[in-house]
Amino acid sequence: ALSDQLTFSARKQGYSRKQSTFWRSTPSIISGGGTATPEDSPIDSPRAASSITLSEAEIIFLRTCVKLQRDVVKVLEKLPPEELGSYSLFGPRRPHQHGEAVKAELVARQCKIAEALLQIDFDLAFRIIGDYQLDAMNIYAGAAAGLAQKKQMSQLTELLHNIGNTISDDERDQIVSTAIAVYAPGDVRAARGLVSHLTLDHSKVLANIRLGRLKEALDVASEGGRVANEDVQLVANEAMELRKKEGGRKWDGIIRQCSQILA
C-alpha cells in the first residue's frame, strides 16, 4: 500500500525536520495551503522526490488524502472515465506553475468536488470540507442554489436537514435565503415553503419582504409582544416604497400599523 511504502521510506531514511521538503510543499500540492516554490516542490523535481522523508503526522495526513480520493472515485465511478480526472483532490503536476495560481486552482476544484458530492454522499463531502479546510458556507450555498435552479425541492430539503448541525443558525439562514432568492422570481409558492426552514426572526422578516408578504413580515417582527424596531422599520420602508411605485392605498394599513408600533 502507498501508506506502507511511505512509512518504510521514512523509517529507512530517518526523519529530520530540516531534511524534509515534503511538508512545506504538501499543503500547496494536496490541501491548497502553504508556500511551495520550484526549489522545494518534490512533485515537480525527481531529485527532490527521491530524497523526501516524512514524519508520522505527514504520513497520516497523506494517507487520509489518498483514502479520500479513493472514496471519491468509488462514489463517482458511474461517470465516464474521462471525467474522473476532474475529480482529483490532488494538485496538478505542472513544473511551470507554483504558488497562488496552483493553490487557487486546487481549492476551486476541491470545492467543486465537495459541492457535487453533497447531493450524493453528504458524509464524504463533509469529510473533504473538513480535512481540506474548505469554505463550507460557500459550498453549501452553491449546492443549495444549484438544487433550487433545478427545482429539486426534495433534495434541497434533505441538504438543509443535513447541514443543520454543522453551521450556525445565521449561516444556515443565509443558505436558505440564497435558495429563496433563486425560487422567488418564478416559483413563489416554493419560495414561501422555504421560509419555514429559516430559524432567525430577522431572516424570516427579510424573506417575507422579498416575497411581498409584508403582513407576515410585520407579524414576525412584532410576534408575542417582542418588538424588533429595526425589522418593523424595514417593513414600513418597503410598504412606502411599494405605495410610491404602485400608487393607491393598498399599503396604507401596513404603514399605519408600523407607525403605531414604532410610536
Side-chain angles (χ1 to χ4, degrees), residues 8-108:
F8 174 78
S9 176
R11 289 175 178 172
K12 180 179 179 181
Q13 297 182 43
Y15 175 73
S16 167
R17 177 64 66 177
K18 292 183 179 180
Q19 291 175 335
S20 176
T21 61
F22 184 84
W23 187 246
R24 281 180 289 164
S25 58
T26 295
S28 177
I29 296 170
I30 296 177
S31 67
T35 55
T37 65
E39 290 74 26
D40 65 13
S41 176
I43 207 159
D44 291 328
S45 170
R47 184 174 61 181
S50 65
S51 63
I52 294 173
T53 54
L54 302 172
S55 71
E56 181 178 355
E58 293 164 351
I59 293 171
I60 292 173
F61 178 75
L62 182 56
R63 185 176 182 178
T64 298
C65 295
V66 172
K67 186 177 186 302
L68 281 174
Q69 182 65 74
R70 182 196 65 188
D71 292 345
V72 166
V73 174
K74 280 185 177 180
V75 172
L76 301 174
E77 62 183 355
K78 293 182 181 180
L79 290 175
E82 61 270 16
E83 291 189 26
L84 289 178
S86 65
Y87 288 96
S88 170
L89 293 168
F90 293 89
R93 299 188 181 188
R94 297 179 182 175
H96 62 286
Q97 287 188 346
H98 296 276
E100 293 303 314
V102 170
K103 176 181 176 181
E105 179 184 345
L106 176 57
V107 171

Side-chain angles (χ1 to χ4, degrees), residues 199-241:
T199 302
L200 304 178
D201 287 342
H202 181 64
S203 301
K204 295 176 183 177
V205 169
L206 292 177
N208 279 307
I209 288 176
R210 174 185 287 275
L211 297 172
R213 307 173 73 197
L214 300 194
K215 182 181 184 304
E216 288 79 358
L218 184 58
D219 288 343
V220 173
S222 58
E223 187 176 22
R226 178 205 58 79
V227 178
N229 286 345
E230 180 183 349
D231 288 342
V232 173
Q233 188 63 61
L234 288 174
V235 176
N237 292 343
E238 182 67 14
M240 288 186 284
E241 185 65 27

Side-chain angles (χ1 to χ4, degrees), residues 113-134:
I113 293 169
E115 184 177 321
L117 286 169
L118 281 174
Q119 304 175 42
I120 307 170
D121 189 328
F122 181 85
D123 290 341
L124 178 56
F126 187 72
R127 284 165 53 202
I128 292 172
I129 292 171
D131 287 343
Y132 288 101
Q133 299 181 8
L134 303 177

